Amino acid sequence: MIERFEPNRATQAGFAAYHDVVTASQAADRPGEPALPLEELIGRMKKPMPGMGRAAHWVGLRDRDVVAVAEVLFLDEENSDIALVNVKLLPKHRRAGIGSALLRAILPELKAQERRAIESWDVVAGTAGQWWAETVGLRQVRRVVRQALITATADRTRWDVPVPAGYRLEYWEGTAPESLVASYALARGAIHDAPLGDSDYRWPEYTVERVRAAEAELRSQGILQRLVVAVHEATGAVSALTELCVHPRRPDWGYQRDTAVVAEHRGSGLGRCVKAHMLCRLVVDAPEVRWISTTTGAENTHMIRVNDEVGYTTLPALIAVQGEVAAVEARLAAVR
């Protein structure tokens, strides 16, 4: 049986059953990694992560027990034709057609929302999830390297990175200073050079207004955004940046987000510099943060090497998969 799951009406028992599926799936596919706390899951379901659009959820039941869950994020702005779909099952119920049944139940809403493509970014390479994605017509479009840094065991001497001549570093939390915000918005566009494989996802086009809106959305959820930027002394322009966020329901976990270096300033070690100085600042200001996670496209060997140099270790890779809604619907009809 497939049912819609409404977070704003769900009971604590309902959330716990949903959470059990998520944690069991992670334990099977990502052994040894910290589990997502129940309260963090509830918070994300009630209010999706900033920048991810509206969310919808479904559960798959067998004998009234929740054995599978599905989340759809309806991306917006540049990506308003993409539905980001995550399907998770209890390991003992995999390869029984339940994931496909969930996807069939989701398709009408995808079409109603005029979504052209389905993408999923949370498939661990070599697991049952990859087999299922291929079965329902989702092809691999990108490989993603996951890395993590544990602050307690990190070699902090790796963070002793000098600031290249001709630059200075600036740091802020939450709100970019007025004197830098326009240059910062422009510098964020440097992330467009980061490879996305064959994914149809498009990087955001940042303006000052969009920066301010994103900052406000983060504040509304109590998410602390930290920025370290390198400023070119001769021009006063932001030349490199790195962003790290900490969520209020998971204060021990840091999310390393965008790191970018403006094209004409590459080759001076700015990427490593801003990342190292972010870590130096973080362990002093937020010693409760013990685990920092980041993802990088496999083709972006330079940034992966930078992460290695400051102490990140590599975890099992993810793959991003994609399919046209119409093609997936046809494939599901054929394998029914």
Side-chain angles (χ1 to χ4, degrees):
M1 183 183 297
I2 308 297
E3 292 182 355
R4 188 72 176 260
F5 187 90
E6 300 287 355
N8 292 328
R9 301 178 188 172
T11 64
Q12 192 71 11
F15 281 122
Y18 195 112
H19 182 254
D20 286 346
V21 175
V22 172
T23 54
S25 178
Q26 178 184 311
D29 297 335
R30 304 182 182 187
E33 294 185 36
L36 184 71
L38 174 59
E39 290 307 312
E40 175 69 1
L41 176 77
I42 294 172
R44 291 188 188 188
M45 293 178 75
K46 288 186 174 181
K47 198 162 189 179
M49 300 283 277
M52 301 308 290
R54 183 178 66 83
H57 303 270
W58 286 259
V59 292
L61 301 106
R62 175 163 282 174
D63 299 327
R64 302 305 304 171
D65 293 325
V66 177
V67 300
V69 301
E71 175 190 59
V72 179
L73 295 169
F74 295 97
L75 303 180
D76 51 22
E77 301 286 353
E78 296 89 350
N79 300 294
S80 58
D81 59 341
I82 298 174
L84 193 60
V85 177
N86 291 310
V87 175
K88 299 185 183 300
L89 283 79
L90 291 177
K92 68 180 180 180
H93 291 282
R94 292 174 174 177
R95 300 186 184 240
I98 298 172
S100 298
L102 271 170
L103 192 53
R104 287 191 192 95
I106 290 168
L107 285 173
E109 183 146 352
L110 302 191
K111 292 192 290 184
Q113 297 296 324
E114 299 182 339
R115 301 294 153 150
R116 174 189 56 80
I118 296 169
E119 292 206 11
S120 183
W121 302 342
D122 199 31
V123 179
V124 181
T127 65
Q130 183 174 0
W131 169 86
W132 176 77
E134 293 168 354
T135 299
V136 300
L138 300 174
R139 63 185 180 89
Q140 180 176 332
V141 293
R142 188 181 182 218
R143 191 173 181 89
V144 179
V145 173
R146 295 186 305 131
Q147 294 173 287
L149 185 145
I150 300 172
T151 57
T153 58
D155 178 1
R156 299 186 183 187
T157 64
R158 296 187 178 200
W159 308 343
D160 186 15
V161 178
V163 181
Y167 299 90
R168 73 175 190 272
L169 299 186
E170 298 280 351
Y171 172 86
W172 67 78
E173 296 179 2
T175 304
E178 284 295 330
S179 60
L180 290 174
V181 64
S183 178
Y184 164 64
L186 188 63
R188 289 204 69 124
I191 197 69
H192 291 203
D193 294 341
L196 289 171
D198 292 328
S199 169
D200 284 349
Y201 179 80
R202 295 170 290 282
W203 293 113
E205 297 285 351
Y206 276 97
T207 61
V208 171
E209 293 73 23
R210 194 161 182 178
V211 166
R212 293 305 190 209
E215 291 171 343
E217 188 175 12
L218 289 167
R219 285 195 299 270
S220 74
Q221 294 198 30
I223 297 171
L224 180 57
Q225 179 198 39
R226 302 171 185 270
L227 266 297
V228 172
V229 305
V231 178
H232 187 227
E233 294 278 23
T235 62
V238 173
S239 306
L241 63 97
T242 193
E243 173 190 16
L244 189 143
C245 289
V246 177
H247 296 207
R249 295 176 299 270
R250 207 174 193 183
D252 60 336
W253 191 298
Y255 296 86
Q256 172 66 64
R257 298 177 61 174
D258 288 354
T259 298
V261 180
V262 175
E264 55 266 36
H265 297 276
R266 292 171 187 165
S268 301
L270 287 174
R272 183 183 176 201
C273 176
V274 293
K275 280 203 170 188
H277 283 264
M278 173 69 82
L279 292 168
C280 289
R281 186 74 183 244
L282 186 73
V283 296
V284 173
D285 293 352
E288 66 277 10
V289 176
R290 298 193 294 271
W291 176 286
I292 303 170
S293 66
T294 190
T295 58
T296 310
E299 307 96 328
N300 194 350
T301 55
H302 172 73
M303 192 55 66
I304 293 168
R305 185 173 67 252
V306 167
N307 291 338
D308 289 339
E309 289 170 349
V310 298
Y312 282 82
T313 57
T314 300
L315 303 173
L318 297 176
I319 60 170
V321 295
Q322 182 192 77
E324 298 288 320
V325 169
V328 171
E329 184 175 33
R331 175 68 70 90
L332 287 171
V335 299
R336 185 181 292 273

